[in-house]
């Protein structure tokens, strides 16, 4: 999850993980997909003897996620990256300020996004419906409508983690795109994206300009900052 909100990174996050995984204490080892039990495969040297605490829980989540994504194909990934960087040197990417999201758009191209389709297939959630929430929703879509194609692509990445939409557009996006209007949240906060749920939490911005400024900062400058849901 990008941004703030309830997360593993917040207070009580470790207890929430223990409850979800039904493991206590937790160690820096792999969790078997079938049994749900810890294995002897260590996430780092000596990991079997390291208990997960509030202080090291984010390191644990990062290592566990990396293990699930890369563990079984680490050798193949290394060989692919060696070949890729022979064609596109890593230092050239860094010098040009190109990150993994920029690279995805360079490879796949900037998608053409129909804002009307986006809005038509957007779910809206708020605990305090009313005129203020309706006005905030209108501000959001006014900002999105005025964006460039490149900014649309960045917003899509921010909200869903995707570089392109599925065939059929937003109607086929699973789960559906959702805006959660947090009318009780401080309006100084940036929007928060829950990419696993294709959801963006929108604070109660009081003007279109403030909404535009916060959204653009989040998608252009803040997209590399992650918390863990």
């Amino acid at each position: 999850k990008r941004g703030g909100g309830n997360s593993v990174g917040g207070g009580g996050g470790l207890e929430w993980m223990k409850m979800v995984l039904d493991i206590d204490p937790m160690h820096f080892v792999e969790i078997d997909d079938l049994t749900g039990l810890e294995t002897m495969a260590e996430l780092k040297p000596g990991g079997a003897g390291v208990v997960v605490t509030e202080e090291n829980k984010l390191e644990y989540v990062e290592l566990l996620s990396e293990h699930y994504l890369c563990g079984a194909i680490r050798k193949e990934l290394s060989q692919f990256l060696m070949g890729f960087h022979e064609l596109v040197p890593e230092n050239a990417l860094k010098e040009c300020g190109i990150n993994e999201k920029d690279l995805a758009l360079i490879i796949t191209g900037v998608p053409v996004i129909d804002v009307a389709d986006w809005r038509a297939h957007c779910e809206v959630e708020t605990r305090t419906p009313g005129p203020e929430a309706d006005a905030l929703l209108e501000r959001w879509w006014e900002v999105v409508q005025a964006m460039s194609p490149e900014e649309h692509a960045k917003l899509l990445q921010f909200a869903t983690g995707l570089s392109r939409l599925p065939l059929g557009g937003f109607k086929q996006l699973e789960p559906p795109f959702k805006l959660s209007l947090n009318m009780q949240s401080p309006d100084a906060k940036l929007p928060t994206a829950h990419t696993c749920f294709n959801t963006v939490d929108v604070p109660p911005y009081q003007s279109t300009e403030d909404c535009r400024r916060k959204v653009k900062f989040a998608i252009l400058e803040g997209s590399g900052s992650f918390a863990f849901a």
Side-chain angles (χ1 to χ4, degrees):
K1 183 186 71 176
R2 296 176 185 161
N6 295 328
S7 67
V8 168
L14 177 60
E15 294 305 316
W16 181 82
M17 280 198 297
K18 290 178 179 178
M19 179 183 69
V20 170
L21 298 174
D22 195 24
I23 299 175
D24 188 12
M26 298 163 56
H27 301 83
F28 277 70
V29 295
E30 178 190 18
I31 296 175
D32 187 275
D33 287 336
L34 296 177
T35 66
L37 301 176
E38 292 187 338
T39 72
M40 294 307 295
E42 296 182 329
L43 301 177
K44 67 178 185 178
V50 180
V51 175
V52 180
T53 65
E54 284 289 342
E55 288 70 32
N56 62 22
K57 63 186 177 185
L58 293 185
E59 179 192 8
Y60 168 79
V61 172
E62 182 177 351
L63 290 174
L64 186 64
S65 301
E66 195 270 348
H67 176 77
Y68 278 126
L69 288 172
C70 307
I73 55 171
R74 196 177 304 278
K75 180 179 178 181
E76 291 81 357
L77 277 177
S78 296
Q79 293 173 338
F80 171 82
L81 286 174
M82 285 178 60
F84 179 79
H85 286 310
E86 285 183 7
L87 299 174
V88 186
E90 184 176 3
N91 63 331
L93 294 174
K94 291 180 178 178
E95 288 172 4
C96 294
I98 297 175
N99 60 26
E100 71 280 3
K101 297 186 181 301
D102 298 322
L103 186 60
L105 292 177
I106 290 171
I107 292 173
T108 65
V110 175
V112 177
I113 293 178
D114 184 345
V115 177
D117 177 57
W118 199 341
R119 183 168 186 170
H121 296 97
C122 168
E123 296 182 355
V124 180
E125 175 183 76
T126 180
R127 294 182 180 178
T128 53
E132 291 185 355
D134 293 342
L136 176 59
L137 185 62
E138 289 302 317
R139 290 187 194 105
W140 169 271
W141 289 116
E142 184 179 346
V143 169
V144 174
Q145 184 70 56
M147 285 180 169
S148 67
E150 291 79 9
E151 289 170 336
H152 284 156
K154 290 283 189 179
L155 179 59
L156 179 67
Q157 282 187 328
F158 174 78
T160 68
L162 301 175
S163 298
R164 301 189 74 84
L165 286 168
L167 188 65
F170 285 96
K171 182 178 181 180
Q172 301 300 323
L173 188 64
E174 286 293 337
F177 178 76
K178 179 187 291 186
L179 289 176
S180 178
L181 308 181
N182 294 338
M183 305 308 293
Q184 307 304 318
S185 174
D187 63 4
K189 291 183 62 177
L190 295 176
T192 299
H194 306 260
T195 53
C196 293
F197 305 104
N198 296 334
T199 297
V200 177
D201 293 341
V202 186
Y205 302 126
Q206 298 302 305
S207 70
T208 301
E209 182 54 38
D210 191 32
C211 183
R212 178 181 294 110
R213 185 163 48 85
K214 298 287 178 52
V215 171
K216 287 193 175 184
F217 185 88
I219 66 174
L220 299 177
E221 304 295 337
S223 60
S225 177
F226 288 81
F228 297 93

